Amino acid sequence: VQLQASGGGLVQAGGSLRLSCAASGPTFSRYTMTWFRQAPGKERDFVAAFRGSRNTPHYADSVKGRFTISRDTAKNTVYLQMNSLKPDDTAVYYCAADTTGRMILSTMWNPSAYENWGQGTLVTVSS
């Protein structure tokens, strides 16, 4: 599956951005779609996800209440609405997909569990 991420940019602290990730494939609604981020010199961290066809979103504690993940199955696209941005949110944001339909919660947070990645989009939050 191919993933195309977009929507990054430069924003002041307190501002908002919406990231998009368009996916190919006929069974998008069954994919686990996940956003990760990687700040300079740091590991790639989980941000938010939909696991398979389940409608319950999952969030990292650091973004709960500020970020919202959503998906449009008609457009094969997952979004990440980011509000109240902080300088600590500065990172390259990546979307990832698991197409097996067998993703489990204990591994959903782990970048190594994904074989399909978008190219990344840079988000810079200035103070």
Side-chain angles (χ1 to χ4, degrees):
V1 62
Q2 292 185 330
L3 303 174
Q4 182 69 38
S6 61
L10 173 63
V11 63
Q12 289 188 332
S16 298
L17 281 174
R18 189 177 80 154
L19 307 183
S20 300
C21 177
S24 62
T27 57
F28 171 80
S29 61
R30 298 206 294 264
Y31 296 170
T32 290
M33 295 298 298
T34 303
W35 288 99
F36 289 88
R37 67 185 181 185
Q38 189 166 17
K42 295 188 177 181
E43 295 183 345
R44 193 166 297 189
D45 291 331
F46 173 87
V47 176
F50 280 111
R51 186 167 65 97
S53 59
R54 299 161 183 81
N55 290 321
T56 303
H58 300 271
Y59 297 99
D61 288 343
S62 59
V63 305
K64 279 181 183 176
R66 300 189 298 121
F67 290 12
T68 302
I69 187 172
S70 62
R71 60 186 169 187
D72 185 335
T73 54
K75 296 182 179 180
N76 278 17
T77 300
V78 64
Y79 303 97
L80 186 68
Q81 178 66 44
M82 306 185 294
N83 298 330
S84 302
L85 282 161
K86 306 175 182 179
D88 284 350
D89 295 318
T90 295
V92 177
Y93 284 70
Y94 297 91
C95 61
D98 172 79
T99 62
T100 67
R102 296 191 295 271
M103 181 64 73
I104 59 176
L105 272 177
S106 61
T107 57
M108 185 181 63
W109 324 91
N110 186 346
S112 298
Y114 297 82
E115 292 187 350
N116 304 289
W117 290 88
Q119 82 282 11
T121 184
L122 176 63
V123 172
T124 303
V125 185
S126 63
S127 57

